[in-house]
Amino acid sequence: MASEEEVEKSVSPEATDDADRQMRRRKRGYLRMYYGVTDEGTGGASAREPANPLDIDSSGFKVDQYMEKMLRNLSLTDLYDKERKVKKETLQLDSNMQHLVYENHSKFIKASETIKEMKDDFQRLEDGMSKLSSRIEGIRSSSNSINEALSERKQQIAKLSSVHHLLKKLQFLFELPGRLNKCLERRAYSQAVNYYVKAQKVLEQYKHLPSFHGIQHDCLAIIDELKTLLKGRLDDQQSSPKMIAEAVDLLLQLQEPPQALCQQYLDNSRRQLESDLLKVETAAKTLPSSTGNDEEDGVVVDAVEFVGVVCNGFLGNMSLIIQSCFDMFIRKKSVCHSTDVAVVSKEALVVFVQELMSRCSSLINDKLTLEAKMLNSAHLARALDRLSGKLHTLDQLLPSAGIYSNCQSMIKMVVHIHTESHAHCLLQNFSSTVTDIRQEIATFKGATPSSTPPLSDHSTALYAAIKTGLDSSLTNLLEFISPDINFTMQDGFRKEFCLKCVRQEVVVDFLNSVIRVCKEFTESSRETVTSYPPSLILILAGVMHQLERSHISYLVSYADEKFSPFEKGKNPATPIDSIVTEAKTTAELLINHYVRMQGQVLAQMIRKSVETRDWLNTIEPRNVRSVMRRMVEEVTVIDKQVGLLFEEGFRKSDGSETSRTFTYSVTKGGNGGYPYSSSHSGLGDSSLLSNIQKLFFEKIEVFGNVEFTKLSIVTGVIKIALKALVECVRLRTFGKYGLQQMQVDAHYLQIYLWRYVSDEQLVRVLLDEVISSTIGRCRDPVLMEQSVVELICENS
């Protein structure tokens, strides 16, 4: 059965609205029908879109056209279904309409009840306001009657009140000397000054009267005594800054010269600050907690406690003195009637503060510089934050002294020393690890002669000295950008700290130092090089290779993530390509250096074995020379060591077992014997044949760069050793049995060395060159039967 949407689509193919849009339009149509709103007034979709005569929800709907389309396009069954659906929708619309009417009717009834209750409430309010108005009117009439009754005696009462007030003043004046003496006895100096200041103008005004003159004379004598006591408090070393400030304030109320008092106040305050500086100096000389058990003696042991002594003592008292000086001499209106007093007092205060702060800053700098080398970032950051906050407060009290600018310079220097100490400690730890590995390799004693040191463990330890140490330092330094540390957020300090101190001085400089230390192993003199175990060079090469491949990028990216003052992707820091390139170059230098060292060891062993033997008079060979067996053993050890740190690599193989059996470039003559004899023509033919065969072999680069694989590294060592054998053979003269001994040695090397090289052809070519050179230097070149050679090698 076709749905309503399919019917409408078949009737009006022009309509493009989906089912949801039609449903929303139908609902809006119901609301407009109920509230009687026309399409033109709503400004809805029907007003904006052209009328569709076949759309039942459109304002231009035509019943006749719609019915004609339906009769023409729908079957009888579809028409019946459409009729039932229309009836069902009609009943649903009637139900919805009744529900809306019921809801609105209920709301109208509730609104009517609410309005009725409001009318009742307003009626009660009106009754209450009427009663209140009548009572206020009664109060007004009572007040008017009372005023009329008392108006006749009002003037008399005012006169008597004035006389009473005057008598009280006179009584206060006559009792003033006694009051002042009692205040002095009770040391209530502030109350005594208050009494005298109140009566001073009256006594000065009526001092020509004998009675007032006597009172003034007695008061002045008492006030002079009070001034002496207050000035004595200024000179008393036991007086606290609060007591001194109170004494100065009372003397100023007694009209003492403000400039002299200001200088005396600063001189007396200096004694207290000198005592505080002595405590700071004592604390600054105390060693950090890591150097002793000073905590048991109750002395300062770390940066936080030291800064606590400075802030609670010297800086706290300095803040109080500055604030008191401003309140008493610079901002006080009763004193600063002349601007000269304020200017002179402020200049004296600035000189006073700068002198003492310079001494204190020197002590703070010495102590925090020592603490900065202890690598305790949490303590140092909290100490610097508290010190910065306290000095910032002082700077706000007296900006002209430049306290905070000097503080910033000192803090930046301390932080710089702290990050340098981290970098130095990292490098020292790395160098110490290298030294420990070198000693362990040198003193290693395995269970068997062929045992090798645990190079993989050493490599892991060396890499951990880089990564774990750097992670630990960065975690410590994160304390400086913690949310509760405020001084790093000011004046671009965070940017400089993250980019310059952490990224450059700790991470980048440390990695460059590691690379430089590793590179020094390849640049030392020959005597120094021989003292380095080749295994150490191999470990350093492996670590450099790991750093170059991924770890440098990881470490620098980790630092950029944790210490980035910029949004993600907007860090303008220098790229790390130069470090990666330098690490790659150093790794190549180290691995080539290792290959040359091991190759030189084998070459030296071969050279001594060739030079110390009489090849003309040697006996017929029955065994492989021990040096060749030793060479195979050394190559096996090298292969095992390299395999612990590097991947296997790819081998070039011709795929035949015969390639692993040594054959020579010489062939038998037509008579069944070897073509080599003592005749001149035989040697010439052999040399020519050997040179022709060399044209078909690729040139072997003996000292070329090697790859970071086991096969490539061991191949490089074997190439150097075999090339040394070739060169040594060319410098000797051989007899018949000497040639045959070299033939046996070469075959032995071939059957064992092929498995250690990346290209079997390489060993075959070099050994072929050894035999060819030996034949060329032999007086009686007769080779041994191949079967005999193989038998000797098997028995060896």
Side-chain angles (χ1 to χ4, degrees), residues 10 69 90 102 175 181 200 206 261 268 284 310 351 389 445 456-457 483 488 504 526 532 617 635 655 684 731 772:
S10 64
K69 286 287 184 180
T90 303
Y102 174 75
E175 295 177 354
N181 285 324
Q200 185 178 12
Y206 296 102
L261 275 180
N268 293 327
V310 176
V351 173
K445 294 181 180 179
S456 57
D457 295 341
T488 56
Q504 185 62 39
R526 183 178 181 86
Y532 296 148
N617 302 316
V635 171
L731 299 178
S772 298

Side-chain angles (χ1 to χ4, degrees), residues 250-280:
L250 295 178
L251 289 171
L252 287 173
Q253 293 183 40
L254 296 176
Q255 298 181 352
E256 285 293 307
Q259 294 181 359
L261 275 180
C262 179
Q263 190 60 47
Q264 186 178 3
Y265 172 72
L266 294 178
D267 292 340
N268 293 327
S269 300
R270 184 187 296 273
R271 293 197 300 268
Q272 177 65 35
L273 294 178
E274 291 282 356
S275 176
D276 293 334
L277 279 178
L278 183 60
K279 296 178 181 178
V280 173

Side-chain angles (χ1 to χ4, degrees), residues 2-17:
S3 62
E4 181 182 357
E5 289 79 3
E6 293 173 349
V7 173
E8 290 182 358
K9 287 181 181 179
S10 64
V11 174
S12 61
E14 300 84 6
T16 58
D17 295 337

